[in-house]
Amino acid sequence: PNTRQLLCHFHVGQAEWRWLTAKINNIPIDERQQLMKNFRKASHNNSDTEIKLIHKVLQCFTTLIGV
């Protein structure tokens, strides 16, 4: 919420998708779209509570897959 955006949403999303699809990150194919939705929600959301919730979801996921 109190951040300054330096990149447009398109380029941020593009970078996120490239990270999700890079083989080195070992993100399962069937999880990529849901993770992208969560990243998008976080980047377009102004609610501190919602961002914290999405952050927790992403942390749980990365713990599960070992990233």
Side-chain angles (χ1 to χ4, degrees):
N2 297 324
T3 60
R4 182 174 173 202
Q5 183 177 340
L6 300 176
L7 296 173
C8 71
H9 288 290
F10 171 80
H11 287 104
V12 171
Q14 185 180 46
E16 290 167 356
W17 186 250
R18 285 182 178 163
W19 183 86
L20 287 170
T21 58
K23 290 184 179 185
I24 194 168
N25 295 319
N26 297 318
I27 305 297
I29 292 172
D30 58 330
E31 300 289 343
R32 293 175 184 170
Q33 286 187 348
Q34 185 60 46
L35 284 169
M36 189 65 190
K37 286 179 188 177
N38 286 331
F39 283 136
R40 195 174 298 130
K41 278 184 188 178
S43 68
H44 288 87
N45 200 308
N46 291 324
S47 164
D48 191 45
T49 304
E50 181 75 15
I51 291 171
K52 286 179 182 178
L53 176 63
I54 293 167
H55 183 257
K56 284 186 179 185
V57 168
L58 292 172
Q59 279 183 320
C60 289
F61 177 79
T62 56
T63 300
L64 286 173
I65 65 167
V67 173

